[in-house]
Amino acid sequence: MALIEVRNLVKHFPVRGGVLNRVVGKVHAVNGVSFDVQRGETVGIVGESGCGKSTLGKTIIRLIDPTEGSIKYDDKEITTLGHGGMMRIRRKMQIIFQDPYSSLNPRMTVRGLLREAIKFHDVVPANQVDDYITELIRTVGMRPDAADKFPHEFSGGQRQRLGIARALSVKPEFIVADEPVSALDVSIQAQVLNLMMDLKEKLGLTLVFISHDLKVVEHFCDRVLVMYLGHIVEELPTRDLHLRAKHPYTRALLGANPIDDPDDRRPLTVLQGDVPSPFSPPPGCPFQTRCPRVHDRCRVEMPPLVTREAGVNGEAETERVACWAVEVDEQEKLSAGAGAR
C-alpha cells in the first residue's frame, strides 16, 4: 500500500484586481495531478521554474490547502482535516526548504530552533532534549558546538544540514525536499545529497525530492514525475532515463544536461519561446506552444496520462506519458509489427 496517494489534485490561486479588489482570474498552479509514493521510495519532481512543483510539494503536506482533489497519508484522507487533526499527523510529514537561511529564525540559536520543534511534538522526555539535540547535530555531520551558534555563523551547506536536522528532529516518516541543493555550490551539493541518501537508508525515510535538475534526480531518485504548467506530462523510473523518456519535454530537459562522455553525440531538442502564463494556459496540451512535434489535435485536445507497461534491458516497469505524438509512435510500431507478421 502506498504511503502517499494523490488523486486529481488541483491548486488555483485567486488573482484580484480593480477598484473593489474582486477576483478577476486565477493562477493554475497545479491541475489534476495524480500519483502514489510507495513507503521507502524516493520520487523526484522536475520541471522548469513556475511549473508548479514546489506548490505541489507544499500542498501534499498541507502547508497549502488544495482547491480540489484528494490526499491520503497512510490510507487516511488528510484534505478534510482541520488544524487539530493535522497537528496529530504533522509530526510524520516534514519539509526541507530551498533557502536554508530564510527558513531558519536568525534570532534563535540552533539549540533553540531544534528544542522548539522537539518540545512542541513531545519527541523525547524533557531531561533528554539536550542529548537528543547533540545526537541530531552529529547525525548531519556537524560538531556538537554548533548547537549554541546562530544561523548567520554558518555557510550555506552547513545551514542546509541544519535544515535537515530540524526536519529529522521530530522523527518523521515522510519528507518533502524542495530543491534542497539548488542554492549550493556543486561540491557542497554532492555532500548534502550523499548525506540525505545515507539518512534515508539509515532511518527508512520516504522522500519527495523536488528539483529542476534531471541529472541530480537521476542520481538520487527511484522514479521521476515530469511537470509542465501544473500538469504531470510523464512518469518513469530513473534507471536508464535516456532510453525510457518519450515525451518531447522530457527529451528536451535531458538534452539540456551536460553529457559526461564528449564522444556521445545525442540529438539536441531546442525549445522555442517561453512557458505560457499559468494565469491563461493554452487550450489542449499545455506543451503545444513549444513542442517540436505539435499537430492540430494537440492544440484542441488535452492528452490523457496513459499508463504503459514498458521495459528496458529485459525488465518490465510501469510508465505514464501524456502526449499525442507518443500515441502516434505506438500505433506505428504496432502496425509495423503486424505487417512483419
Side-chain angles (χ1 to χ4, degrees), residues 67-89:
T67 304
E68 297 175 16
S70 167
I71 306 167
K72 288 185 178 181
Y73 181 86
D74 202 11
D75 205 34
K76 181 177 182 178
E77 181 66 49
I78 66 171
T79 51
T80 56
L81 293 179
H83 179 74
M86 276 306 301
M87 280 298 101
R88 287 191 290 272
I89 202 169

Side-chain angles (χ1 to χ4, degrees), residues 323-337:
C323 181
W324 294 124
V326 173
E327 290 281 329
V328 171
D329 293 343
E330 295 291 333
Q331 291 172 5
E332 289 177 351
K333 286 182 183 178
L334 291 173
S335 298

Side-chain angles (χ1 to χ4, degrees), residues 214 226-228 231-236 241 243-254 269 271 285-288 290-293 298 302-305 308 319-326 329:
L214 259 178
V226 183
M227 286 191 71
Y228 187 84
H231 297 267
I232 293 178
V233 297
E234 190 164 18
E235 176 186 352
L236 67 164
L241 196 57
L243 298 176
R244 295 176 182 272
K246 295 181 176 65
H247 197 282
Y249 181 59
T250 311
R251 302 298 311 174
L253 290 178
L254 287 168
T269 301
L271 300 180
C285 175
F287 189 54
Q288 53 105 341
R290 304 173 71 198
C291 182
R293 301 189 62 189
C298 305
M302 172 76 73
L305 194 61
R308 290 181 172 82
E319 301 173 2
R320 296 193 297 165
V321 61
C323 181
W324 294 124
V326 173
D329 293 343

Side-chain angles (χ1 to χ4, degrees), residues 25-43:
K26 55 188 177 182
V27 173
H28 300 72
V30 178
N31 298 293
V33 166
S34 299
F35 66 95
D36 294 338
V37 182
Q38 303 299 322
R39 192 179 292 274
E41 187 179 30
T42 301
V43 175

Side-chain angles (χ1 to χ4, degrees), residues 207-272:
L207 296 177
V208 165
F209 185 86
I210 298 169
S211 178
H212 60 269
D213 189 341
L214 259 178
K215 201 77 171 177
V216 172
V217 168
E218 188 175 8
H219 169 71
F220 187 71
C221 300
D222 304 308
R223 191 159 44 93
V224 60
L225 309 175
V226 183
M227 286 191 71
Y228 187 84
L229 209 62
H231 297 267
I232 293 178
V233 297
E234 190 164 18
E235 176 186 352
L236 67 164
T238 53
R239 191 176 68 255
D240 299 314
L241 196 57
H242 284 274
L243 298 176
R244 295 176 182 272
K246 295 181 176 65
H247 197 282
Y249 181 59
T250 311
R251 302 298 311 174
L253 290 178
L254 287 168
N257 280 330
I259 299 172
D260 299 331
D261 184 358
D263 296 324
D264 187 356
R265 302 296 183 182
R266 297 173 184 165
L268 177 63
T269 301
V270 179
L271 300 180
Q272 304 296 323

